[in-house]
Amino acid sequence: MRLVFAGTPEFARVALQALLAAGFDVPLVLTQPDRPAGRGMKLQASPVKQLALQHGIAVAQPRSLRLDGKYPEDAAAARKALQQAHADAMVVAAYGLILPQWVLDAPRLGCLNIHASLLPRWRGAAPIHRAIEAGDAETGVTIMQMDAGLDTGDMLLRQALPIAPGDTTAALHDRLADLGGQLIVQAVRQGAAGQLVPTPQPGEGVTYAHKIDKAEGAIDWRDGARQIARRVRAFDPFPGASTGLEGDAIKVWACEMDSTTSSTGAAPGQILYANDAGVGVACGDGAVLRLTELQRAGGKRLAARDFVRGFTLAPGRVLSGAAR
């Protein structure tokens, strides 16, 4: 099996590493153009590009794959590279570009996508974040035969993974990436043997995981405590759940329910206590959240006991919330 691989971030790098470790021939990798990153905003290659170069694999970085789009020369060059690769299949994982029909039709066995959810739930750009935010008990990975729709293709393999109560997007991402690598190796092997059985996605249970907007990180203390706690976990590492106090921005990285403290008479966002155990905050449903890891703008993530020593969070003060 000769494979073209298309992907960009760490999730995709893990899958490419699994395919290479399994001995598959990958003559060509497609990935996003280098982007500015870090304090110096220097151009940085994607994790997938870095791995490909380590293995001496040719890399194409088209800005678009649309032959009639804004960058037709990029698309034409990518088409030539794909033709010369003579691939049996293309494996796609978090690539970041829409694949036009000519790409879907180019490999003999089409394009196989690694999607980090149990389709048809959480089609779209941010399935890991949205599963945690919604309070799902499980998620998983689906290997899908790509078509022209948004994650609408036939399912080839599907395996569930439980979401632990304390899972952040960062932690769940790593487990799903590992599972995706295992499943795509299995799928390619079965595809080579003609053993893959496409299963259409059911029409029921379709949800969409819309792209994460930075503004979503603002905590609205009028929401329920469990909902806020899920968003804190869902938005770690990006964009981070945030609140404020008299103009000072504060990131909240970890919290837990506090069933021992009453918030009777307290306004949503009101600080009830601040000590080594954490910062207790009243929420809109009358429950209390204990904030256990916080960060000031420009500072480091700190455990609450260290944070409160350098930043006054006196009981009675009210944290700012997001406007509705």
Side-chain angles (χ1 to χ4, degrees):
M1 289 285 282
R2 285 172 63 84
L3 304 173
V4 169
F5 187 89
T8 299
E10 178 63 17
F11 182 88
R13 188 204 65 80
V14 173
L16 176 58
Q17 180 65 65
L19 290 166
L20 294 172
F24 292 111
D25 182 12
V26 183
L28 175 66
V29 158
L30 274 66
T31 191
Q32 288 274 342
D34 297 358
R35 307 289 190 200
R39 292 188 175 181
M41 295 303 287
K42 295 181 180 179
L43 287 178
Q44 183 170 318
S46 73
V48 164
K49 179 180 178 179
Q50 293 177 42
L51 179 61
L53 294 179
Q54 290 170 18
H55 287 267
I57 300 172
V59 175
Q61 297 178 271
R63 290 167 290 180
S64 169
L65 290 169
R66 291 186 53 184
L67 295 168
D68 59 349
K70 187 177 180 181
Y71 304 104
E73 66 283 359
D74 283 29
R79 182 171 62 174
K80 183 177 180 180
L82 279 169
Q83 291 170 343
Q84 292 175 343
H86 301 292
D88 296 295
M90 177 188 284
V91 173
V92 183
Y95 177 30
L97 287 183
I98 294 174
L99 303 188
Q101 193 63 46
W102 74 262
V103 178
L104 299 176
D105 295 338
R108 179 174 63 87
L109 298 177
C111 299
L112 310 183
N113 178 243
I114 309 170
H115 187 76
S117 82
L118 297 175
L119 292 171
R121 185 162 179 79
W122 302 128
R123 295 173 179 172
I128 304 175
H129 303 74
R130 299 305 182 191
I132 293 176
E133 183 185 19
D136 291 0
E138 67 174 10
T139 183
V141 169
T142 305
I143 305 299
M144 175 189 63
Q145 185 81 50
M146 296 183 71
D147 61 14
L150 176 61
D151 299 328
T152 56
D154 290 346
M155 300 179 294
L156 303 172
L157 291 176
R158 192 170 178 266
Q159 186 169 323
L161 188 72
I163 299 177
D167 269 341
T168 62
T169 287
L172 187 56
H173 165 279
D174 291 351
R175 298 207 308 279
L176 287 168
D178 289 340
L179 179 58
Q182 296 168 28
L183 286 186
I184 194 59
V185 168
Q186 180 182 342
V188 174
R189 284 175 174 161
Q190 290 183 214
Q195 296 172 346
L196 286 176
V197 180
T199 302
Q201 294 186 36
E204 302 78 33
V206 176
T207 57
Y208 288 91
H210 299 288
K211 185 178 179 180
I212 301 298
D213 188 287
K214 191 174 181 179
E216 293 183 73
I219 297 173
D220 191 330
W221 295 105
R222 293 172 293 181
D223 290 333
R226 294 189 186 280
Q227 182 179 1
I228 294 172
R230 290 198 302 266
R231 286 179 174 163
V232 169
R233 293 189 292 112
F235 298 152
D236 180 357
F238 176 84
S242 59
T243 186
L245 184 63
E246 298 174 2
D248 286 309
I250 302 170
K251 292 265 189 171
V252 178
W253 292 111
C255 60
E256 58 192 17
M257 300 293 296
D258 180 356
S259 58
T260 64
T261 304
S262 171
S263 64
T264 303
Q270 185 172 331
I271 298 171
L272 305 176
Y273 59 83
N275 53 42
D276 284 355
V279 179
V281 183
C283 300
D285 59 354
V288 177
L289 267 186
R290 181 187 293 117
L291 315 184
T292 57
E293 187 178 2
L294 304 102
Q295 179 183 16
R296 294 184 69 177
K300 298 179 180 179
R301 293 191 187 195
L302 295 173
R305 64 178 177 275
D306 299 316
F307 187 88
V308 297
R309 290 190 179 100
F311 190 91
T312 303
L313 292 172
R317 300 177 82 182
V318 179
L319 297 173
S320 60
R324 273 186 173 145

